[in-house]
C-alpha cells in the first residue's frame, strides 16, 4: 500500500521566506531556488503574487521569477489569490499557480480578507484564466486540522471547501495543517474527505511542524497511498496570519525518512542539506531540520 515514489514540492522560497521579518535579498531567494533544483527538487513554490502591503517579503515576486535559471524538468509555482495576482504572475511564466482558501471562516477573513464563499467566487475566474493559459491550478486548504482563531475544524468543514474548490475545477487539492495541530488519525479523516472529490495523485499534504507531528502525519498519508507532500528546506516558514505557527516540515527530514523507507524521491540529501545550510546562514540561524543538523554535525566530525 505504501507508495514506492513520492513527489515533494519544496515550498521554502514561498511559505518559508514569506514569514521572515528581516528582508531577504532577491539574489539569495534565487540562489535558494537554484540550490533546490540542483538537489533534485522538481517542484518548487517560488513566490506569491499577493499584496506587498500584506506580505512585504514577497514584493520582489516578479524579480525572483525573472532571475531564476529554469530547468525544463522543474515545475515552478506561485500563489495567486485573485485576478490581479494572476495577471501579474502570468507575465513571469509560472508552470502552475496556487489559489488558497481555508476550511475555517475566521482564517479566511484574516488571511485573505473575505469569507470562504467570497474567496471561491474570487478564485473561479483565476482558475478559468489559468486554464485558458494552459496552467495547472493547485488549491491549498488552510486550517484543515485546526484554526488559530476558531479552534477545532471538522472534516465536514474540510469537505465543504474541498467541494467548492472542485466546483470551480481546480486540478489539485492540498490539505494544509497551517498550525501543525493535526495528529495521524485526524489527518487521515481530513484526507479521506479530499479523496472523495480528487484522485489520489491530485491530493497532497502540507504539514507545518509546530507540534512535532508532521512526519507522523506524512506517514499516515503514505499508509493511505498519498504520495505528494509539500515541505520546506531547513524547516523554514510559517504564515504571517497564523501567529506562533512554525515552519513546514523540513524537506531534509522528509527525505531522510523516505530514504529509510526505500521510497524514491530523486533528491540528493547531501545537496539538500547544503541548500538548507545556505539559507539558514543567510537568515543567521541554524537549520530547524533535525536530519539537516545531524548530517552537518556528522560531516564536521568526519572532517575533524
Ligand atoms: P484586499 O485588501 O481585500 O484586496 O486584500 P483588495 O482587492 O481590496 O485590494 C486592496 C489593495 O491591494 C489594492 O491596492 C490592490 O491593488 C492591492 P491599493 O489600491 O490599496 O494600493 N492588491 C494587490 N496587490 C498585489 N497583488 C495582488 C493584489 N490584490 C490586491 N494580488 C488580498 C486581498 C488577498 C490581496 C490580501 O488579503 C493579501 O494579499 N493577503 C495575503 C495572504 C497571504 O499571502 N498569506 C500567506 C500565504 S497563504 C499560506 O501561507 C497558507 C499555505 O501555506 C497553506 C497553509 O499552510 O495553510 C498556502
Ligand atoms: Mg503553509
Amino acid at each position: 500500500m505504501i507508495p514506492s515514489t513520492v513527489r515533494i514540492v519544496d515550498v521554502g522560497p514561498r511559505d518559508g521566506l514569506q514569514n521572515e521579518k528581516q528582508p531577504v535579498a532577491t539574489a539569495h531567494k534565487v540562489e535558494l531556488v537554484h540550490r533546490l533544483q540542483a538537489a533534485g527538487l522538481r517542484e518548487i513554490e517560488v513566490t506569491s503574487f499577493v499584496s506587498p502591503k500584506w506580505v512585504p517579503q514577497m514584493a520582489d515576486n516578479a524579480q525572483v521569477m525573472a532571475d531564476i535559471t529554469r530547468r525544463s524538468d522543474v515545475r515552478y509555482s506561485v500563489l495567486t489569490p485573485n485576478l490581479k495576482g494572476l495577471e501579474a504572475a502570468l507575465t513571469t511564466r509560472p508552470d502552475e499557480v496556487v489559489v488558497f482558501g481555508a476550511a475555517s471562516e475566521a482564517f479566511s477573513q484574516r488571511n485573505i480578507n473575505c469569507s470562504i464563499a467570497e474567496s471561491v467566487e474570487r478564485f473561479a475566474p483565476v482558475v478559468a484564466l489559468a486554464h485558458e493559459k494552459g496552467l495547472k491550478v493547485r488549491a491549498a486548504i488552510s486550517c484543515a486540522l485546526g484554526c488559530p482563531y476558531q479552534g477545532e475544524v471538522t472534516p465536514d468543514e474540510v469537505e465543504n471547501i474541498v467541494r467548492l474548490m472542485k466546483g470551480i475545477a481546480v486540478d489539485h487539492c492540498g490539505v494544509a495543517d497551517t498550525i501543525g495541530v493535526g495528529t495521524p488519525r485526524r489527518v487521515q479523516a481530513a484526507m479521506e474527505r479530499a479523496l472523495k472529490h480528487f484522485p489520489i495523485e491530485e491530493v497532497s499534504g502540507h504539514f507545518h511542524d509546530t507540534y512535532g507531528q508532521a512526519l507522523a502525519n506524512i506517514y499516515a498519508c503514505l499508509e493511505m497511498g498519498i504520495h505528494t507532500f509539500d515541505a520546506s528546506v531547513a524547516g523554514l516558514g510559517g504564515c504571517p496570519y497564523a501567529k506562533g505557527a512554525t515552519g513546514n516540515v523540513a524537506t531534509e527530514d522528509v527525505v531522510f525518512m523516505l530514504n529509510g523507507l526505500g521510497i524514491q524521491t530523486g533528491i540528493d540529501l547531501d545537496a539538500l542539506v547544503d541548500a538548507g545550510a545556505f539559507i539558514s546562514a543567510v537568515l543567521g540561524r541554524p537549520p530547524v531540520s533535525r536530519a539537516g543538523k545531524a548530517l552537518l554535525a556528522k560531516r564536521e566530525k568526519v572532517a575533524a
Side-chain angles (χ1 to χ4, degrees):
M1 186 64 189
I2 285 195
S4 56
T5 304
V6 155
R7 194 153 50 107
I8 296 181
V9 183
D10 201 295
V11 299
R14 193 282 304 170
D15 198 340
L17 297 182
Q18 74 179 8
N19 207 37
E20 289 298 326
K21 298 280 174 288
Q22 53 176 322
V24 179
T26 304
H28 287 143
K29 296 175 182 174
V30 170
E31 177 159 0
L32 177 61
V33 172
H34 290 165
R35 283 174 176 264
L36 290 172
Q37 59 193 17
L41 267 305
R42 291 297 168 259
E43 300 209 26
I44 302 175
E45 205 169 270
V46 178
T47 185
S48 55
F49 287 83
V50 298
S51 162
K53 285 186 194 144
W54 285 62
V55 187
Q57 189 65 259
M58 296 285 107
D60 60 353
N61 42 30
Q63 198 58 51
V64 174
M65 287 297 279
D67 289 353
I68 54 178
T69 302
R70 300 190 195 204
R71 291 178 53 123
S72 58
D73 58 352
V74 174
R75 297 181 63 77
Y76 303 92
S77 56
V78 300
L79 265 56
T80 54
N82 52 20
L83 268 179
K84 187 177 170 80
L86 178 62
E87 277 156 10
L90 283 175
T91 65
T92 72
R93 301 185 298 110
D95 297 299
E96 214 164 285
V97 297
V98 183
V99 293
F100 47 105
S104 105
E105 273 306 339
F107 191 77
S108 183
Q109 289 291 354
R110 305 283 177 112
N111 194 40
I112 51 176
N113 206 22
C114 61
S115 69
I116 294 173
E118 284 162 348
S119 76
V120 175
E121 257 173 55
R122 222 177 257 183
F123 299 148
V126 175
V127 178
L129 180 58
H131 282 164
E132 204 182 299
K133 301 292 179 186
L135 302 182
K136 181 172 176 175
V137 183
R138 284 193 278 130
I141 312 294
S142 288
C143 295
L145 277 305
C147 168
Y149 309 105
Q150 168 186 317
E152 225 164 276
V153 172
T154 64
D156 283 346
E157 288 173 292
V158 174
E159 190 169 354
N160 174 51
I161 176 77
V162 167
R163 194 184 282 115
L164 292 170
M165 290 290 199
K166 180 75 185 177
I168 58 167
V170 303
D171 303 295
H172 180 97
C173 178
V175 176
D177 186 2
T178 314
I179 54 170
V181 291
T183 44
R185 294 287 172 251
R186 292 191 55 235
V187 165
Q188 288 179 335
M191 289 295 177
E192 269 166 24
R193 301 305 184 97
L195 290 168
K196 276 170 73 177
H197 303 275
F198 288 85
I200 200 153
E201 52 282 358
E202 296 300 352
V203 170
S204 62
H206 173 113
F207 301 113
H208 286 260
D209 203 23
T210 317
Y211 288 80
Q213 302 301 300
L215 282 182
N217 291 338
I218 289 177
Y219 194 83
C221 292
L222 291 172
E223 284 185 327
M224 301 172 81
I226 293 166
H227 51 264
T228 309
F229 301 97
D230 293 351
S232 187
V233 68
L236 297 174
C239 174
Y241 297 97
K243 289 261 172 296
T246 60
N248 282 92
V249 63
T251 315
E252 298 93 313
D253 295 357
V254 179
V255 172
F256 187 85
M257 179 178 80
L258 296 175
N259 284 351
L261 290 166
I263 296 173
Q264 305 296 316
T265 60
I267 296 169
D268 173 346
L269 183 55
D270 277 320
L272 180 64
V273 167
D274 289 336
F278 158 76
I279 192 64
S280 300
V282 165
L283 300 172
R285 57 170 186 257
V288 172
S289 164
R290 303 282 286 269
K293 278 197 280 207
L295 290 167
L296 287 168
K298 195 170 160 190
R299 276 189 208 164
E300 269 179 30
K301 212 168 152 194
V302 170

